[in-house]
Amino acid sequence: VRTRGAHQRAAMLRMPSQWVSNMLHWRAHSKREWSALVLYEAFVSGVITYLTNILETQTVAKGEQFWIPDLALSGYSPSALHDLLRGFGADGCRLYFGIGMWDIFVYSLGYAAMLSSLLQWSSCGSIAADDGGRRASTTISMLPWIVWSVDQIENATVMYCVVNFEAEGPSEMWNLAATIGGIAVVTKWALLVISVLALGLLSANKIAGLF
């Protein structure tokens, strides 16, 4: 009885990690899965674009500068982020917080799954089909999830800065969070470029192998 109970507890402890592992290793295979993934990505991208356009219109109408921290390829300084949020105002910050939550829990999962599936597809046939090849293929297709992880760090730090924004000036913790976010966004884009280059090379190799 004790042994069975220990096994049950061990199985319950493994369930969260198993769920995460299954999520990270999921790839679109069938036409139905690909169609669902494309439609999902189109929908979540449409929503985040629509909300961002609203925020941009509101901000520009006040004569303030508008940019999106998540798209800052060269990063940003704490002072630049503070000026941006001041320009957003209270209503704009609330809207931007909603955009951030959509990005964290909905949008980012879509692009990671899409790019990961594309890498898995492009690497099939481009890498030797033995066990080592399959492991290499899976490893390559995990790159987008590394990008996703760094993106979550950046998103979390920016959301912290939004929630704890003080117009009179940032605190040391606020500056630290903004600095981490600025570093994370540069890292994210660098890894994303590597992922896209890998996809291009593998796809070209796969297409060349068809002729």
Side-chain angles (χ1 to χ4, degrees), residues 11-95:
M12 291 180 66
L13 290 173
R14 286 195 299 269
M15 285 178 62
S17 61
Q18 185 63 42
W19 182 86
V20 171
S21 177
N22 290 340
M23 182 190 75
L24 295 180
H25 287 86
W26 181 86
R27 306 289 181 267
H29 295 290
S30 66
K31 290 183 179 180
R32 178 176 298 180
E33 289 174 340
W34 276 109
S35 298
L37 185 56
V38 170
L39 289 174
Y40 175 86
E41 184 63 15
F43 171 71
V44 298
S45 297
V47 170
I48 202 168
T49 300
Y50 174 74
L51 295 176
T52 301
N53 287 338
I54 292 176
L55 179 59
E56 181 179 11
T57 300
Q58 293 176 350
T59 305
V60 173
K62 296 185 295 184
E64 300 289 348
Q65 186 178 11
F66 178 83
W67 53 278
I68 294 295
D70 203 43
L71 302 179
L73 303 184
S74 58
Y76 49 80
S77 65
S79 59
L81 182 61
H82 191 269
D83 290 342
L84 176 71
L85 297 182
R86 180 190 286 117
F88 283 174
D91 290 340
C93 281
R94 280 192 289 270
L95 176 55

Side-chain angles (χ1 to χ4, degrees), residues 113-155:
M114 172 68 76
L115 186 51
S116 183
S117 293
L118 286 170
L119 280 168
Q120 180 80 353
W121 167 84
S122 65
S123 60
C124 289
S126 298
I127 298 175
D130 56 10
D131 288 341
R134 285 193 291 270
R135 286 196 297 271
S137 174
T138 301
T139 299
I140 291 173
S141 64
M142 289 298 290
L143 271 173
W145 290 109
I146 299 175
V147 176
W148 174 84
S149 300
V150 177
D151 194 14
Q152 298 317 299
I153 295 174
E154 193 267 331
N155 286 330

